[in-house]
Amino acid sequence: MRKIGHPVIWIGAAIEVFDRKFNDITASPARLRRNGEIALILIMLMAAGSALLVEWLADQTGVGWLVIALIASSLIAQRSLAAHVAAVATALETGGVEAGRQAVGKIVGRDTARLDESGISRAAIESLAENFSDGITAPVFWLAIGGLPGIAIYKAINTADSMIGHRSEKYINFGRAAARIDDLVNWPAARLSAILVLIAATLVPSASARKAWHAIRHDAGRHRSPNAGWPEAAFAGALGLELAGPRRYDGKTIDDAVMGAGGRLSATKADIRRAITLFWITDMVLIVAVGLIAAVIHLVF
């Protein structure tokens, strides 16, 4: 995999090419939106075509299931996500607030220069919650629905959203399609992630399934994102914390609803460790659920 490169790197390289070729900010907004739509369709077709070709070649070898499993697992980043979030807790423990700011700045897009330990800890947990949905549940969901092409198309959309889907002057029009389609394909996974966290909270002594359910019901739909609020609310309630709320991006304060309203506002590095424990138990619940569903399908068909 190191020699041929990670699939997401290929996708990112293709997006950069389309960005340079089609994102001419002197063009009209309508033209830029159309260019963005065409670029996204081409990226999705490339991802799907490559995945279908790999599936076909793998089938010819007789070990297609192994090849597909290896490629699919490279697109699901449990260990990487947990490691990056754990690094924030370690930085706070060994280097204090300044080290924590540097560590959390690698995984969040908000301004971190003024964050105290609580702000750093909350940002890390929010990132863990949201990326559990986008980086783990959603790829597994689309792998189950569409096989290797399904997960490849999802990663193409998700990568495009992260690269061109933000509301900057350069991408407000060109990246519009990527942002909207990303919201659509993440819709089921966000709700499923909240359910998985709810189940996991019953297995973690330091978590509360009751509070997680309350936060999901009352707060998830109030988030400015149609999807991020679901896993964030579930984590917030389960951990007894308040997450989200107003945050600063590029010097501007962005208002947002609080997830887990009524919980503890002051988070600590110990709460990051608790969140990581909840994350791993939630991941185990997902694996067991997928295994049970696969077994049932195998028995029935």
Side-chain angles (χ1 to χ4, degrees):
M1 184 66 72
R2 289 181 180 177
K3 291 183 178 180
I4 62 176
H6 194 281
V8 171
I9 295 177
W10 307 342
I11 294 170
I15 294 168
E16 288 180 347
V17 170
F18 287 123
D19 185 13
R20 290 195 301 269
K21 296 290 185 181
F22 298 135
N23 188 16
D24 180 2
I25 59 173
T26 63
S28 69
R31 178 65 179 272
L32 285 174
R33 287 194 291 271
R34 184 164 60 251
N35 286 354
E37 292 165 0
I38 293 171
L40 182 62
I41 290 170
L42 291 174
I43 292 163
M44 292 167 61
L45 289 173
M46 291 169 59
S50 299
L52 286 168
L53 177 60
V54 169
E55 279 193 341
W56 181 81
L57 291 173
D59 285 342
Q60 307 310 303
T61 68
V63 290
W65 63 271
L66 179 59
V67 173
I68 292 170
L70 288 172
I71 295 175
S73 65
S74 74
L75 298 174
I76 304 170
Q78 297 105 314
R79 292 186 182 279
S80 175
L81 173 57
H84 280 87
V85 175
V88 178
T90 300
L92 285 170
E93 292 162 354
T94 60
V97 170
E98 186 54 42
R101 288 171 181 161
Q102 294 178 14
V104 81
K106 297 177 181 179
I107 61 173
V108 301
R110 73 191 66 178
D111 298 341
T112 61
R114 300 180 182 178
L115 294 180
D116 57 10
E117 179 178 338
S118 178
I120 293 166
S121 300
R122 292 169 71 234
I125 296 169
E126 289 163 17
S127 179
L128 181 67
E130 184 175 354
N131 282 291
F132 173 74
S133 178
D134 293 356
I136 300 171
T137 308
V140 169
F141 177 85
W142 289 109
L143 175 66
I145 295 295
L148 194 58
I151 191 174
I153 292 171
Y154 170 76
K155 293 302 291 189
I157 294 169
N158 191 243
T159 304
D161 176 63
S162 67
M163 293 179 66
I164 63 174
H166 32 92
R167 288 180 167 272
S168 64
E169 182 179 356
K170 182 178 180 180
Y171 294 115
I172 185 69
N173 292 301
F174 183 72
R176 183 180 181 185
R180 291 194 170 186
I181 297 299
D182 186 72
D183 285 343
L184 180 63
V185 297
N186 277 303
W187 193 95
R191 279 92 186 142
L192 178 58
S193 294
I195 295 171
L196 293 170
V197 173
L198 181 64
I199 296 171
T202 66
L203 306 174
V204 178
S206 63
S208 170
R210 180 182 60 82
K211 290 181 180 179
W213 174 241
H214 183 273
I216 292 168
R217 287 185 59 201
H218 293 277
D219 299 332
R222 298 170 55 234
H223 199 286
R224 67 188 178 96
S225 163
N227 296 319
W230 292 81
E232 284 189 21
F235 265 82
L239 298 171
L241 298 171
E242 283 193 356
L243 299 178
R247 286 158 285 184
R248 290 182 65 82
Y249 293 87
D250 298 323
K252 299 178 181 178
T253 299
I254 305 298
D255 289 327
D256 200 0
V258 170
M259 302 291 105
R264 177 162 45 88
L265 179 60
S266 179
T268 68
K269 47 188 174 288
D271 291 314
I272 300 177
R273 300 292 186 188
R274 291 173 58 221
I276 293 172
T277 298
L278 179 61
F279 163 83
W280 280 119
I281 298 301
T282 306
D283 188 59
M284 289 176 57
V285 171
L286 174 61
I287 292 170
V288 170
V290 170
L292 289 173
I293 292 171
V296 169
I297 291 173
H298 178 73
L299 290 172
V300 173
F301 298 100

